[in-house]
Amino acid sequence: FDVSNLFTLDLNDNNLEGTLSASIGDLTNLTFFQIDNNQLTGEIPDTFGGLVTLDEATFEGNNFSGAMPSSICQIGMSTLQGDCAQCDPV
């Protein structure tokens, strides 16, 4: 599959388990990402910070650890929600 022009990825409520791959950063045209209410663990990859077109991302209802990577906080999204979606002031 060619996902280079993928703009929207909604994976809410799919009972997904495991961790998010750093290759998520390869989806360079992504503007909308939701992965709420799954069973994901680990840290949110820093590669999200390279998704400069990303405008909305939600990570709620998972078991992520660690803080939101600072690279994500610097994108300037209109919506960032999740159990670890606290961005420190820059």
Side-chain angles (χ1 to χ4, degrees), residues 2 7-9 11 16 20 22 25 29 39 53 58 60 77 79 81-82 85 90:
D2 178 13
F7 296 99
T8 299
L9 185 58
L11 298 171
L16 300 175
L20 285 177
N29 290 311
Q39 299 173 32
T53 59
T58 61
E60 296 176 309
M77 286 181 273
T79 303
Q81 297 175 335
V90 183

Side-chain angles (χ1 to χ4, degrees), residues 26-83:
D26 294 340
L27 304 175
T28 56
N29 290 311
L30 202 62
T31 59
F32 180 87
F33 178 81
Q34 287 189 329
I35 199 156
D36 300 337
N37 303 316
N38 287 288
Q39 299 173 32
L40 297 170
T41 58
E43 295 185 356
I44 295 174
D46 192 48
T47 54
F48 267 96
L51 302 177
V52 295
T53 59
L54 194 59
D55 187 53
E56 181 173 328
T58 61
F59 303 89
E60 296 176 309
N62 288 286
N63 296 307
F64 291 116
S65 59
M68 184 66 64
S70 61
S71 61
I72 294 174
C73 299
Q74 296 170 2
I75 296 174
M77 286 181 273
S78 64
T79 303
L80 176 62
Q81 297 175 335
D83 303 329

